[in-house]
Amino acid sequence: MKIINPATEEVIREIEQDNKASIDAKLKALRAGQKVWAKKSVRTRLKAIEAFGKLVIENKDELAQILTQETGKPITQSRNEISGSLNRISHLSKNAEKWLQPEEFGMEGDTLELLYHEPLGVIANISAWNFPYNVGYNVFLYALVAGNSVLYKPSEYATLTGLKFKELLHRAGVPENVFDIAIGSGEVGQTLLESDLDGYFFTGSHKTGLHIAKNVAHKMVPVQLELGGKDPLYIMDDVGDVKKWAINAAEGAFYNAGQSCCAVERIYVHAKIYDEFVKYFVEEVKNYQIGNPEKADTFIGPVTREAQLEVILDQIEDAKKKGAEVILGGKGMDKPGYYMEPTVVTQTTHEMKIMMEESFGPIIGIQAVGSDEEAIRLMLDTPYGLTASVFSEDEQRAKTVLDQMNVGTCYWNCCDRVSPNVPWSGRKNSGMGHTLSYMGIRAFTQPKAYHLRG
Ligand code: NAD
């Protein structure tokens, strides 16, 4: 498998993919390792995870460099992701023992009732490339602390980062037969679906998620899917400082070149402030530094996957054909690397792909609305259900809109944000199950109830 730098199109490294025999061998070892790991105390398991966090920080520069080279993520954003994701570790350190300890419900008549939270066993973590630290940690750290062993399949676009996770976890004290990685593309993922695993935890596209759910349904093991979104942002007419909120909205749409599952993917602006908002929004996007992701001041690098350029350009063509106006960008960039001009499209409608299908790139559609009711109708008009945001000075008015959203996460005066304190989950085509919070650790356990009469 060739690892390609999306900023230069150069091959960084060639790596041998796993195959059925190597996966079987890894799973055999993981099964033996899990039995021993599960018997360790939660505190012992946590210690290894904490040591891993320390090693990540010690090696932050090298890790950021690797992430930037294989995904094209601007180096400052790579560093931010590496530091920011450590909050999962402190969250686990603080809470995991409490959340995993057996619960005693006292006597019911002559019977003592107890609940144990047992690990699932050996789980597959099939992951995405866009935030490999955030979404990887959400699964494999929580799974390990809960007493599982993990076969982690990094995205083929973040393999070198995956190899580093393995090296650092082992150095930190997670046994080699408790965490391993499966190297390769979709076909290696497919091999995992056909292997003997006790749970499938997937982060990626709706298309692959659906395929996984269908293919492992007969196994009757937990399946969790963290999928894509078409996340709406509504800017109300009462925001006051329109410029400030236009800058915020642009960051929500264009951070990591728009390649976040919870990136702002479509914007509705109240007609009263629409022109002013669009003016400031475009002004802000024009100021973004675009180019070499290894430079500290670059805000937009290349998109990671060459194939995504076609999806984005098709959305732009489709919008133009149906009457939208491209007021900024609109083309790929004439230089090596998978670069796309940051693109702003106005006069959009819900007949257009740009307002209905995940873009996952530096492109945004902006549409005027005449009322909160119209905004609500349009925000709800989507097959996805990941996040929804409202910018407004009036909390109650914003809450009235957010309360009607069919999503896992609502934002008032913020967006594109994840916290370990609250669950991260999608509805409809954005997935099922949840990571983070106490729910996110329980996801890697199975309850065992005891009725003890003596
Ligand atoms: P993808 O679906 O193309 O790939 C995800 C993973 O699935 C990769 O590791 C890939 O190798 C593997 N895979 C592909 N075919 C497979 C098969 N047949 N069987 C098993 N595994 C297979 O997605 P991607 O391009 O890596 O990630 C982008 C998508 O992920 C976007 O839609 C984004 O919104 C979503 N995402 C969601 C979240 C979330 O928390 N909800 C977070 C990050 C990304």
Side-chain angles (χ1 to χ4, degrees), residues 36-318:
V36 180
W37 183 245
K39 292 207 170 77
K40 307 257 184 223
S41 69
V42 177
R43 183 43 52 199
T44 304
R45 298 196 293 254
L46 277 171
K47 268 196 193 137
I49 301 306
E50 287 159 1
F52 167 76
K54 286 202 184 94
L55 286 172
V56 167
I57 285 303
E58 279 165 33
N59 291 278
K60 183 170 147 183
D61 287 343
E62 185 204 348
L63 295 173
Q65 194 72 24
I66 290 171
L67 182 57
T68 290
Q69 278 183 0
E70 66 180 343
T71 66
K73 184 182 291 244
I75 190 82
T76 304
Q77 296 177 24
S78 291
R79 291 202 186 104
N80 288 347
E81 183 187 347
I82 291 169
S83 307
S85 54
L86 292 171
N87 61 5
R88 276 75 169 167
I89 297 179
S90 43
H91 181 247
L92 282 166
S93 293
K94 223 186 317 165
N95 297 298
E97 284 173 297
K98 177 177 72 198
W99 289 332
L100 291 172
Q101 75 186 2
E103 292 172 58
E104 194 182 310
F105 300 96
M107 299 298 288
E108 187 68 35
D110 57 356
T111 309
L112 178 66
E113 296 174 347
L114 297 174
L115 171 59
Y116 282 16
H117 300 288
E118 292 191 341
L120 297 172
V122 186
I123 65 118
N125 175 192
I126 302 176
S127 203
W129 47 266
N130 61 330
F131 281 89
Y133 286 80
N134 289 346
V135 302
Y137 286 7
N138 291 358
V139 175
F140 68 70
L141 292 184
Y142 286 70
L144 289 171
V145 171
N148 300 278
S149 59
V150 177
L151 185 55
Y152 173 67
K153 195 199 106 37
S155 161
E156 54 272 42
Y157 301 98
T159 304
L160 301 180
T161 295
L163 284 165
K164 276 286 168 190
F165 289 158
K166 172 172 151 164
E167 179 197 322
L168 297 181
L169 281 166
H170 292 168
R171 272 174 59 194
V174 175
E176 288 184 18
N177 60 2
V178 168
F179 182 91
D180 210 340
I181 90 168
I183 297 170
S185 54
E187 66 201 82
V188 172
Q190 185 66 34
T191 304
L192 299 191
L193 308 188
E194 290 152 16
S195 302
D196 179 25
L197 281 136
D198 303 315
Y200 289 86
F201 293 82
F202 172 74
T203 310
S205 62
H206 169 255
K207 183 168 167 247
T208 312
L210 189 59
H211 172 83
I212 291 176
K214 283 183 178 167
N215 275 263
V216 301
H218 65 283
K219 299 187 183 197
M220 301 284 183
V221 297
V223 177
Q224 196 159 290
L225 309 169
E226 304 271 5
L227 310 178
K230 190 69 193 169
D231 298 1
L233 163 63
Y234 171 35
I235 295 113
M236 290 180 169
D237 52 338
D238 64 5
V239 283
D241 187 347
V242 176
K243 183 175 178 183
K244 173 180 144 191
W245 293 109
I247 291 171
N248 268 279
E251 191 183 18
F254 288 99
Y255 193 85
N256 196 30
Q259 303 170 118
S260 312
C261 53
C262 54
V264 171
E265 281 257 342
R266 49 196 173 112
I267 299 181
Y268 305 98
V269 187
H270 198 286
K272 281 189 195 154
I273 55 161
Y274 179 79
D275 289 341
E276 196 186 354
F277 176 87
V278 170
K279 179 174 83 99
Y280 287 130
F281 189 93
V282 168
E283 238 174 62
E284 173 67 6
V285 178
K286 270 188 185 159
N287 281 334
Y288 287 155
Q289 288 291 332
I290 306 158
N292 183 354
E294 297 194 27
K295 285 171 67 182
D297 61 350
T298 294
F299 186 70
I300 297 190
V303 298
T304 304
R305 295 170 57 242
E306 187 179 15
Q308 197 62 20
L309 288 175
E310 231 173 87
V311 173
I312 299 167
L313 291 169
D314 174 60
Q315 290 194 355
I316 295 170
E317 275 320 298
D318 171 75

